[in-house]
Amino acid sequence: HLSILDVASAIPIGSNLDKNAFLKGSLHYISKNPMIPIKLFLDAMTRRRVPVITLSSFISSRGEILEPTARFTEVRVREFFNTGRMQRVMARGRHELYPVLRNTFLIAGLLRDMRVKKKRKRSCGEDAADIKDSATDLNSSSVIEELVYFFSYAVAEFLAARGYPVLYHADKWEQVPVVYPAKRTVLARTGAHRYTIIPRYNSVVNLPRYTHMTSPYRRYADLVMQRVLTAAIEGKVSPYSVDQMG
């Protein structure tokens, strides 16, 4: 199970927050001019129960990620962990949440190994699938990275399986129709990222489908995809058409 803060419900389409976010486009939330006010994020995280979107999936014995499911739920934030604190807890092994973090590192290592094997299999042949990689060299930043990869892949799979439009993150060197900043599209501000509505294998992260949705506070594309995911969970029509996206 992996959860992300439900940002879309707090920023309605057409609201002042949404309009400002659209104009600012893709800016890191620690900058002086963030896309979404950081106070919104901090206020949400201090609530007793935090609304989140949770994706769940299983990993088969053959190392395949099975079809994910998505739902709305609430979680209780017990403690905050940045990458530095995660690393210290893992090194000392004495914190009450150490078992949870340890399992998280193990899962992230498994996800990383699956991606690496897929890459080697695609480039070196079938024998590369037998290579076993160790997750012991994963640091906390790599763990977060692997969980982001999984979440982004799972969202793309969930939406594609239900016929919803998806903004697939395109490799920089791919010759495919991509969504560039355009005045009439919803993604008029996409920063340096390139997107396509055509499903493509992303060779950078070695996943068959890959979108952006884990940073709805700093990338407008992520906010758009979270709104589409919300509609899919609720069984509603996508708030954006393919034409609006591209």
Side-chain angles (χ1 to χ4, degrees), residues 31-50:
S31 69
K32 295 181 179 179
N33 189 29
M35 191 184 89
I36 301 295
I38 190 64
K39 186 177 184 300
L40 253 172
F41 169 76
L42 296 176
D43 288 347
M45 297 305 290
T46 55
R47 298 174 189 168
R48 185 179 296 272
R49 305 290 293 183
V50 179

Side-chain angles (χ1 to χ4, degrees), residues 62-219:
R62 295 193 300 174
E64 298 173 341
I65 299 176
L66 304 183
E67 183 178 351
T69 60
R71 67 187 189 278
F72 293 112
T73 185
E74 291 183 340
V75 298
R76 181 169 64 92
V77 179
R78 293 178 61 180
E79 290 191 50
F80 289 95
F81 284 85
N82 57 23
T83 54
R85 191 180 181 202
M86 286 173 62
Q87 205 67 45
R88 290 193 296 273
V89 169
M90 288 298 296
R92 296 168 184 170
R94 293 195 296 268
H95 195 279
E96 62 173 335
L97 294 179
Y98 169 75
V100 176
L101 282 178
R102 183 176 182 277
N103 285 337
T104 301
F105 270 68
L106 291 174
I107 292 172
L110 178 59
L111 293 171
R112 192 279 306 270
D113 290 350
M114 288 166 53
R115 290 194 310 106
V116 170
K117 289 175 184 176
K118 283 183 179 180
K119 181 178 182 180
R120 290 175 178 170
K121 187 174 180 179
R122 284 170 63 88
S123 60
C124 305
E126 295 293 329
D127 293 341
D130 297 327
I131 299 174
K132 292 185 178 180
D133 297 298
S134 172
T136 56
D137 61 336
L138 278 179
N139 56 35
S140 54
S141 295
S142 298
V143 168
I144 299 299
E145 189 175 70
E146 290 302 328
L147 296 180
V148 166
Y149 289 157
F150 166 75
F151 197 93
S152 301
Y153 162 74
V155 167
E157 286 286 303
F158 181 84
L159 293 175
R162 289 156 180 79
Y164 284 82
V166 179
L167 287 170
Y168 299 100
H169 189 257
D171 293 346
K172 292 183 179 180
W173 52 83
E174 280 192 304
Q175 298 299 315
V176 297
V178 297
V179 176
Y180 280 114
K183 293 181 179 179
R184 293 194 180 94
T185 63
V186 73
L187 292 178
R189 299 291 186 273
T190 57
H193 298 287
R194 304 171 78 223
Y195 301 92
T196 176
I197 56 175
I198 302 173
R200 300 286 292 185
Y201 190 97
N202 192 300
S203 59
V204 174
V205 296
N206 306 310
L207 290 170
R209 288 188 174 94
Y210 186 67
T211 187
H212 274 166
M213 208 206 76
T214 55
S215 298
Y217 273 96
R218 67 183 180 92
R219 284 192 303 241

Side-chain angles (χ1 to χ4, degrees), residues 7-33:
V7 177
S9 61
I11 307 175
I13 296 176
S15 65
N16 288 334
L17 275 175
D18 179 55
K19 292 176 181 177
N20 289 333
F22 176 78
L23 292 174
K24 293 176 181 177
S26 182
L27 298 169
H28 199 279
Y29 46 69
I30 63 171
S31 69
K32 295 181 179 179
N33 189 29

